[in-house]
Amino acid sequence: MNKEKLLFNIMTYEEMMSLRKAYNYGVRNFKTRQANTIYMKYRKQQMKNKVAL
C-alpha cells in the first residue's frame, strides 16, 4: 500500500500543485487559496531546513 504523504494533514503534494496551478491561472476559491497557502508554508519550511544545514 503506497500512501502519499499529506502536507500539513490536508492534501498531497500532487493535489496542492494542481490546485496551485489553477490559482495561478486566476481560479480563486477556497481549495485553490488553501493550496496556495499550504505551498507557501511548505516553501518556508524547506528554506528553513536548507539554512539549518
Side-chain angles (χ1 to χ4, degrees), residues 7-8 13 16-17 20 33-45:
L7 299 173
F8 300 100
Y13 184 82
M16 176 192 63
M17 292 308 286
R20 190 168 180 280
R33 284 188 176 114
Q34 185 180 40
N36 193 55
T37 301
I38 291 169
Y39 177 77
M40 298 309 270
K41 286 180 183 180
Y42 178 76
R43 288 283 306 208
K44 283 182 185 177
Q45 190 179 57

PDB file of all heavy atoms in Angstrom, residues 7-8 13 16-17 20 33-45:
ATOM      1  N   LEU A   7       0.502  16.890   3.216  1.00  0.00           N
ATOM      2  CA  LEU A   7       1.184  18.090   3.679  1.00  0.00           C
ATOM      3  C   LEU A   7       0.270  18.820   4.651  1.00  0.00           C
ATOM      4  O   LEU A   7      -0.872  19.132   4.332  1.00  0.00           O
ATOM      5  CB  LEU A   7       1.525  19.002   2.496  1.00  0.00           C
ATOM      6  CG  LEU A   7       2.453  18.410   1.460  1.00  0.00           C
ATOM      7  CD1 LEU A   7       2.574  19.351   0.273  1.00  0.00           C
ATOM      8  CD2 LEU A   7       3.823  18.156   2.052  1.00  0.00           C
ATOM      9  N   PHE A   8       0.766  19.069   5.831  1.00  0.00           N
ATOM     10  CA  PHE A   8       0.004  19.741   6.882  1.00  0.00           C
ATOM     11  C   PHE A   8      -1.338  19.050   7.128  1.00  0.00           C
ATOM     12  O   PHE A   8      -2.332  19.688   7.466  1.00  0.00           O
ATOM     13  CB  PHE A   8      -0.194  21.222   6.556  1.00  0.00           C
ATOM     14  CG  PHE A   8       1.101  21.968   6.410  1.00  0.00           C
ATOM     15  CD1 PHE A   8       1.634  22.242   5.157  1.00  0.00           C
ATOM     16  CD2 PHE A   8       1.803  22.373   7.526  1.00  0.00           C
ATOM     17  CE1 PHE A   8       2.840  22.909   5.026  1.00  0.00           C
ATOM     18  CE2 PHE A   8       3.010  23.047   7.409  1.00  0.00           C
ATOM     19  CZ  PHE A   8       3.526  23.309   6.157  1.00  0.00           C
ATOM     20  N   TYR A  13       1.073  16.456  -2.109  1.00  0.00           N
ATOM     21  CA  TYR A  13       1.875  17.393  -2.891  1.00  0.00           C
ATOM     22  C   TYR A  13       1.296  17.549  -4.297  1.00  0.00           C
ATOM     23  O   TYR A  13       1.193  18.661  -4.815  1.00  0.00           O
ATOM     24  CB  TYR A  13       3.319  16.898  -2.956  1.00  0.00           C
ATOM     25  CG  TYR A  13       4.251  17.841  -3.665  1.00  0.00           C
ATOM     26  CD1 TYR A  13       4.795  18.926  -2.991  1.00  0.00           C
ATOM     27  CD2 TYR A  13       4.581  17.653  -5.008  1.00  0.00           C
ATOM     28  CE1 TYR A  13       5.641  19.809  -3.645  1.00  0.00           C
ATOM     29  CE2 TYR A  13       5.428  18.527  -5.662  1.00  0.00           C
ATOM     30  CZ  TYR A  13       5.961  19.605  -4.978  1.00  0.00           C
ATOM     31  OH  TYR A  13       6.786  20.477  -5.630  1.00  0.00           O
ATOM     32  N   MET A  16      -1.864  19.627  -4.179  1.00  0.00           N
ATOM     33  CA  MET A  16      -1.502  21.007  -3.887  1.00  0.00           C
ATOM     34  C   MET A  16      -0.997  21.705  -5.145  1.00  0.00           C
ATOM     35  O   MET A  16      -1.425  22.817  -5.464  1.00  0.00           O
ATOM     36  CB  MET A  16      -0.438  21.079  -2.799  1.00  0.00           C
ATOM     37  CG  MET A  16       0.055  22.477  -2.528  1.00  0.00           C
ATOM     38  SD  MET A  16       1.528  22.546  -1.516  1.00  0.00           S
ATOM     39  CE  MET A  16       2.725  21.706  -2.536  1.00  0.00           C
ATOM     40  N   MET A  17      -0.091  21.058  -5.873  1.00  0.00           N
ATOM     41  CA  MET A  17       0.490  21.691  -7.052  1.00  0.00           C
ATOM     42  C   MET A  17      -0.558  21.864  -8.163  1.00  0.00           C
ATOM     43  O   MET A  17      -0.549  22.872  -8.870  1.00  0.00           O
ATOM     44  CB  MET A  17       1.684  20.894  -7.556  1.00  0.00           C
ATOM     45  CG  MET A  17       2.867  20.941  -6.602  1.00  0.00           C
ATOM     46  SD  MET A  17       3.366  22.598  -6.099  1.00  0.00           S
ATOM     47  CE  MET A  17       4.159  23.167  -7.580  1.00  0.00           C
ATOM     48  N   ARG A  20      -2.719  24.730  -7.049  1.00  0.00           N
ATOM     49  CA  ARG A  20      -1.940  25.964  -7.086  1.00  0.00           C
ATOM     50  C   ARG A  20      -1.786  26.467  -8.514  1.00  0.00           C
ATOM     51  O   ARG A  20      -1.795  27.667  -8.772  1.00  0.00           O
ATOM     52  CB  ARG A  20      -0.566  25.747  -6.449  1.00  0.00           C
ATOM     53  CG  ARG A  20       0.157  27.049  -6.269  1.00  0.00           C
ATOM     54  CD  ARG A  20       1.365  26.904  -5.391  1.00  0.00           C
ATOM     55  NE  ARG A  20       1.993  28.192  -5.281  1.00  0.00           N
ATOM     56  CZ  ARG A  20       2.802  28.718  -6.209  1.00  0.00           C
ATOM     57  NH1 ARG A  20       3.088  28.028  -7.280  1.00  0.00           N
ATOM     58  NH2 ARG A  20       3.319  29.908  -6.035  1.00  0.00           N
ATOM     59  N   ARG A  33      -7.084  28.665  -2.859  1.00  0.00           N
ATOM     60  CA  ARG A  33      -6.433  29.546  -1.874  1.00  0.00           C
ATOM     61  C   ARG A  33      -5.741  28.723  -0.794  1.00  0.00           C
ATOM     62  O   ARG A  33      -4.637  29.044  -0.361  1.00  0.00           O
ATOM     63  CB  ARG A  33      -7.452  30.491  -1.251  1.00  0.00           C
ATOM     64  CG  ARG A  33      -7.847  31.616  -2.161  1.00  0.00           C
ATOM     65  CD  ARG A  33      -8.707  32.638  -1.446  1.00  0.00           C
ATOM     66  NE  ARG A  33      -8.979  33.735  -2.338  1.00  0.00           N
ATOM     67  CZ  ARG A  33     -10.184  34.028  -2.808  1.00  0.00           C
ATOM     68  NH1 ARG A  33     -11.234  33.315  -2.443  1.00  0.00           N
ATOM     69  NH2 ARG A  33     -10.356  35.033  -3.631  1.00  0.00           N
ATOM     70  N   GLN A  34      -6.405  27.670  -0.357  1.00  0.00           N
ATOM     71  CA  GLN A  34      -5.831  26.785   0.645  1.00  0.00           C
ATOM     72  C   GLN A  34      -4.551  26.141   0.112  1.00  0.00           C
ATOM     73  O   GLN A  34      -3.547  26.079   0.809  1.00  0.00           O
ATOM     74  CB  GLN A  34      -6.852  25.714   1.029  1.00  0.00           C
ATOM     75  CG  GLN A  34      -6.404  24.817   2.151  1.00  0.00           C
ATOM     76  CD  GLN A  34      -7.449  23.769   2.483  1.00  0.00           C
ATOM     77  OE1 GLN A  34      -8.085  23.213   1.589  1.00  0.00           O
ATOM     78  NE2 GLN A  34      -7.639  23.522   3.757  1.00  0.00           N
ATOM     79  N   ALA A  35      -4.583  25.692  -1.130  1.00  0.00           N
ATOM     80  CA  ALA A  35      -3.406  25.075  -1.738  1.00  0.00           C
ATOM     81  C   ALA A  35      -2.255  26.073  -1.832  1.00  0.00           C
ATOM     82  O   ALA A  35      -1.101  25.735  -1.566  1.00  0.00           O
ATOM     83  CB  ALA A  35      -3.741  24.542  -3.124  1.00  0.00           C
ATOM     84  N   ASN A  36      -2.552  27.309  -2.183  1.00  0.00           N
ATOM     85  CA  ASN A  36      -1.512  28.329  -2.283  1.00  0.00           C
ATOM     86  C   ASN A  36      -0.914  28.622  -0.909  1.00  0.00           C
ATOM     87  O   ASN A  36       0.305  28.745  -0.769  1.00  0.00           O
ATOM     88  CB  ASN A  36      -2.070  29.611  -2.901  1.00  0.00           C
ATOM     89  CG  ASN A  36      -0.969  30.545  -3.300  1.00  0.00           C
ATOM     90  OD1 ASN A  36      -0.070  30.185  -4.052  1.00  0.00           O
ATOM     91  ND2 ASN A  36      -1.008  31.750  -2.765  1.00  0.00           N
ATOM     92  N   THR A  37      -1.740  28.690   0.107  1.00  0.00           N
ATOM     93  CA  THR A  37      -1.266  28.924   1.472  1.00  0.00           C
ATOM     94  C   THR A  37      -0.379  27.775   1.935  1.00  0.00           C
ATOM     95  O   THR A  37       0.691  28.005   2.517  1.00  0.00           O
ATOM     96  CB  THR A  37      -2.462  29.081   2.431  1.00  0.00           C
ATOM     97  OG1 THR A  37      -3.259  30.176   1.977  1.00  0.00           O
ATOM     98  CG2 THR A  37      -2.001  29.342   3.848  1.00  0.00           C
ATOM     99  N   ILE A  38      -0.800  26.556   1.668  1.00  0.00           N
ATOM    100  CA  ILE A  38      -0.007  25.385   2.052  1.00  0.00           C
ATOM    101  C   ILE A  38       1.321  25.388   1.325  1.00  0.00           C
ATOM    102  O   ILE A  38       2.359  25.082   1.897  1.00  0.00           O
ATOM    103  CB  ILE A  38      -0.788  24.083   1.774  1.00  0.00           C
ATOM    104  CG1 ILE A  38      -1.967  23.993   2.734  1.00  0.00           C
ATOM    105  CG2 ILE A  38       0.097  22.866   1.906  1.00  0.00           C
ATOM    106  CD1 ILE A  38      -2.940  22.903   2.395  1.00  0.00           C
ATOM    107  N   TYR A  39       1.303  25.756   0.051  1.00  0.00           N
ATOM    108  CA  TYR A  39       2.538  25.816  -0.728  1.00  0.00           C
ATOM    109  C   TYR A  39       3.516  26.816  -0.113  1.00  0.00           C
ATOM    110  O   TYR A  39       4.704  26.538   0.007  1.00  0.00           O
ATOM    111  CB  TYR A  39       2.243  26.194  -2.181  1.00  0.00           C
ATOM    112  CG  TYR A  39       3.487  26.343  -3.016  1.00  0.00           C
ATOM    113  CD1 TYR A  39       4.154  25.217  -3.472  1.00  0.00           C
ATOM    114  CD2 TYR A  39       4.007  27.592  -3.331  1.00  0.00           C
ATOM    115  CE1 TYR A  39       5.314  25.340  -4.235  1.00  0.00           C
ATOM    116  CE2 TYR A  39       5.160  27.722  -4.083  1.00  0.00           C
ATOM    117  CZ  TYR A  39       5.805  26.588  -4.532  1.00  0.00           C
ATOM    118  OH  TYR A  39       6.955  26.709  -5.267  1.00  0.00           O
ATOM    119  N   MET A  40       3.019  27.973   0.274  1.00  0.00           N
ATOM    120  CA  MET A  40       3.887  28.995   0.864  1.00  0.00           C
ATOM    121  C   MET A  40       4.478  28.495   2.195  1.00  0.00           C
ATOM    122  O   MET A  40       5.661  28.693   2.464  1.00  0.00           O
ATOM    123  CB  MET A  40       3.129  30.298   1.068  1.00  0.00           C
ATOM    124  CG  MET A  40       2.631  30.888  -0.238  1.00  0.00           C
ATOM    125  SD  MET A  40       3.900  31.023  -1.492  1.00  0.00           S
ATOM    126  CE  MET A  40       4.522  32.617  -1.147  1.00  0.00           C
ATOM    127  N   LYS A  41       3.675  27.827   3.002  1.00  0.00           N
ATOM    128  CA  LYS A  41       4.172  27.259   4.263  1.00  0.00           C
ATOM    129  C   LYS A  41       5.228  26.189   3.977  1.00  0.00           C
ATOM    130  O   LYS A  41       6.252  26.116   4.656  1.00  0.00           O
ATOM    131  CB  LYS A  41       3.028  26.643   5.065  1.00  0.00           C
ATOM    132  CG  LYS A  41       2.130  27.644   5.702  1.00  0.00           C
ATOM    133  CD  LYS A  41       1.031  26.931   6.485  1.00  0.00           C
ATOM    134  CE  LYS A  41       0.049  27.890   7.082  1.00  0.00           C
ATOM    135  NZ  LYS A  41      -1.009  27.192   7.827  1.00  0.00           N
ATOM    136  N   TYR A  42       4.952  25.349   2.986  1.00  0.00           N
ATOM    137  CA  TYR A  42       5.872  24.282   2.603  1.00  0.00           C
ATOM    138  C   TYR A  42       7.208  24.863   2.149  1.00  0.00           C
ATOM    139  O   TYR A  42       8.267  24.402   2.535  1.00  0.00           O
ATOM    140  CB  TYR A  42       5.227  23.441   1.492  1.00  0.00           C
ATOM    141  CG  TYR A  42       6.094  22.332   0.969  1.00  0.00           C
ATOM    142  CD1 TYR A  42       6.284  21.169   1.704  1.00  0.00           C
ATOM    143  CD2 TYR A  42       6.705  22.437  -0.277  1.00  0.00           C
ATOM    144  CE1 TYR A  42       7.066  20.135   1.215  1.00  0.00           C
ATOM    145  CE2 TYR A  42       7.492  21.415  -0.769  1.00  0.00           C
ATOM    146  CZ  TYR A  42       7.670  20.262  -0.020  1.00  0.00           C
ATOM    147  OH  TYR A  42       8.453  19.259  -0.503  1.00  0.00           O
ATOM    148  N   ARG A  43       7.161  25.915   1.325  1.00  0.00           N
ATOM    149  CA  ARG A  43       8.390  26.561   0.839  1.00  0.00           C
ATOM    150  C   ARG A  43       9.196  27.155   1.994  1.00  0.00           C
ATOM    151  O   ARG A  43      10.414  27.008   2.044  1.00  0.00           O
ATOM    152  CB  ARG A  43       8.054  27.668  -0.165  1.00  0.00           C
ATOM    153  CG  ARG A  43       7.568  27.204  -1.497  1.00  0.00           C
ATOM    154  CD  ARG A  43       8.695  26.707  -2.319  1.00  0.00           C
ATOM    155  NE  ARG A  43       9.703  27.755  -2.387  1.00  0.00           N
ATOM    156  CZ  ARG A  43      10.546  27.942  -3.355  1.00  0.00           C
ATOM    157  NH1 ARG A  43      10.509  27.141  -4.382  1.00  0.00           N
ATOM    158  NH2 ARG A  43      11.438  28.893  -3.327  1.00  0.00           N
ATOM    159  N   LYS A  44       8.513  27.815   2.921  1.00  0.00           N
ATOM    160  CA  LYS A  44       9.202  28.396   4.080  1.00  0.00           C
ATOM    161  C   LYS A  44       9.879  27.297   4.895  1.00  0.00           C
ATOM    162  O   LYS A  44      11.010  27.457   5.347  1.00  0.00           O
ATOM    163  CB  LYS A  44       8.225  29.162   4.967  1.00  0.00           C
ATOM    164  CG  LYS A  44       7.842  30.500   4.425  1.00  0.00           C
ATOM    165  CD  LYS A  44       6.908  31.209   5.385  1.00  0.00           C
ATOM    166  CE  LYS A  44       6.407  32.504   4.810  1.00  0.00           C
ATOM    167  NZ  LYS A  44       5.447  33.161   5.711  1.00  0.00           N
ATOM    168  N   GLN A  45       9.181  26.188   5.074  1.00  0.00           N
ATOM    169  CA  GLN A  45       9.712  25.063   5.823  1.00  0.00           C
ATOM    170  C   GLN A  45      10.953  24.505   5.132  1.00  0.00           C
ATOM    171  O   GLN A  45      11.970  24.223   5.785  1.00  0.00           O
ATOM    172  CB  GLN A  45       8.647  23.989   5.935  1.00  0.00           C
ATOM    173  CG  GLN A  45       8.974  22.867   6.877  1.00  0.00           C
ATOM    174  CD  GLN A  45       7.835  21.875   6.936  1.00  0.00           C
ATOM    175  OE1 GLN A  45       7.427  21.321   5.910  1.00  0.00           O
ATOM    176  NE2 GLN A  45       7.306  21.662   8.121  1.00  0.00           N
TER     177      GLN A  45
END
